[in-house]
Amino acid sequence: MPQLNPSPWLAIMLFSWLVFLIFLPPKIMSHTFPNEPASQSAQALKTNSWTWPWH
């Protein structure tokens, strides 16, 4: 039963994790987003109370 032999599958698994952990994160993190988040002002917003028609 060849599927019980861990020799080739262990190497495939280690190589795939090597790719996932070393090569892919810099490529993914290098992407820039077109809309950078803007900082909000520290002013408090004025809110009006609601006028409920049934009261």
Side-chain angles (χ1 to χ4, degrees), residues 4-45:
L4 296 178
N5 183 7
S7 174
W9 305 112
L10 182 64
I12 291 170
M13 184 189 73
L14 291 177
F15 181 70
S16 63
W17 275 106
L18 178 81
V19 169
F20 288 143
L21 294 176
I22 293 177
F23 296 119
L24 289 182
K27 288 184 173 288
I28 294 170
M29 297 302 289
S30 69
H31 290 286
T32 58
F33 296 102
N35 299 326
E36 293 295 328
S39 62
Q40 293 182 346
S41 63
Q43 285 182 330
L45 298 174

Side-chain angles (χ1 to χ4, degrees), residues 45-51:
L45 298 174
K46 293 182 180 180
T47 58
N48 298 331
S49 62
W50 289 2
T51 56

